[in-house]
Amino acid sequence: MSFDHLWAGWRASYIGSFGTDTMPIPATGPGSDGATATSTGVLNGASSSEGEPLCVFCEIVASPGPDEERMIVWSGEAVVAVLNAYPYASGHVMVMPRRHARELEDLNAAEAAELWQAVHAGVAAMKSAYHPDGINLGVNLGRAAGAGIPAHLHVHIVPRWLGDTNFMTSVAGARVLPEPLPVSWQRLQAEWH
């Protein structure tokens, strides 16, 4: 199933910022986490210290731009939280290690502890900023589990409301989102402690 979006005002500048050889492709389909990747799952033109191409998450972390432009809501020593470019709901954030790590067991003790502390803080920020009726937490480990970007571990924090528009995804392949990403960034960043 392909997901259409009913809003598009900010997407043209976002997509255009990658250039033609790194056009992001939304990861869609049953169980997809909604993250974006290039056709190869990495961003061309950038490389890690080992000379391997950077994934889209590594590119966001490595980018020299301000947090607001990169949609980084919170930064820790080993972990960052970034808004999902194709969210399931307004405020959908992903918490991930700065270091490129595929598997949960690849994290060292400090990274694992900070990851869970960031998820804890993110849930509190989500509740304060959005007052949802519930929250989905999710980790999709591997393509078969629905990971849109399986090469870089990330934890989803998604606000949910009773009577929200989730049915649109099932019946129309669309998502209804009432606010643009910069507004979501401002709301969450103000509440993240």
Side-chain angles (χ1 to χ4, degrees), residues 3-8 10-11 14 26-28 32-36 57 71 82-94 126 130 136 156-161 164-166 168-169 173-185 188:
F3 292 119
D4 294 322
H5 290 83
L6 299 181
W7 48 280
W10 62 272
R11 290 180 73 202
Y14 170 78
T28 59
S32 171
D33 65 14
T36 59
F57 294 147
M71 292 294 139
V82 62
L83 285 176
N84 191 319
Y86 294 93
Y88 286 148
S90 294
H92 179 173
V93 70
M94 297 175 296
M126 186 75 66
Y130 285 94
N136 287 132
H156 295 268
I157 305 173
V158 184
R160 296 296 190 186
W161 293 267
D164 67 14
T165 55
N166 293 336
M168 290 292 289
T169 298
R175 297 183 185 133
V176 178
L177 299 162
E179 72 183 12
L181 285 181
V183 173
S184 297
W185 182 88
L188 284 169

Side-chain angles (χ1 to χ4, degrees), residues 5-193:
H5 290 83
L6 299 181
W7 48 280
W10 62 272
R11 290 180 73 202
S13 61
Y14 170 78
I15 290 170
S17 71
F18 286 95
T20 57
D21 62 340
T22 57
M23 184 65 69
I25 301 168
T28 59
S32 171
D33 65 14
T36 59
T38 64
S39 58
T40 62
V42 297
L43 292 178
N44 298 325
S47 62
S48 69
S49 58
E50 293 82 31
E52 296 178 10
L54 292 178
C55 78
V56 67
F57 294 147
C58 289
E59 177 69 15
I60 290 168
V61 170
S63 173
D67 286 351
E68 187 171 7
E69 287 178 12
R70 297 181 295 157
M71 292 294 139
I72 293 177
V73 177
W74 174 86
S75 290
E77 199 169 307
V79 174
V80 298
V82 62
L83 285 176
N84 191 319
Y86 294 93
Y88 286 148
S90 294
H92 179 173
V93 70
M94 297 175 296
V95 179
M96 66 193 70
R98 290 178 176 277
R99 184 173 63 85
H100 188 79
R102 176 182 296 270
E103 303 294 340
L104 196 56
E105 62 271 21
D106 292 343
L107 300 180
N108 63 42
E111 289 169 328
E114 189 174 1
L115 182 77
W116 189 248
Q117 290 167 350
V119 169
H120 183 268
V123 168
M126 186 75 66
K127 287 180 177 180
S128 183
Y130 285 94
H131 308 286
D133 296 322
I135 292 177
N136 287 132
L137 292 178
V139 181
N140 302 316
L141 299 174
R143 178 96 38 216
I149 301 185
H152 198 128
L153 170 72
H154 52 285
V155 180
H156 295 268
I157 305 173
V158 184
R160 296 296 190 186
W161 293 267
L162 296 173
D164 67 14
T165 55
N166 293 336
F167 75 95
M168 290 292 289
T169 298
S170 299
V171 300
R175 297 183 185 133
V176 178
L177 299 162
E179 72 183 12
L181 285 181
V183 173
S184 297
W185 182 88
Q186 290 171 346
R187 290 176 72 172
L188 284 169
Q189 201 275 331
E191 298 298 331
W192 203 298
H193 305 288

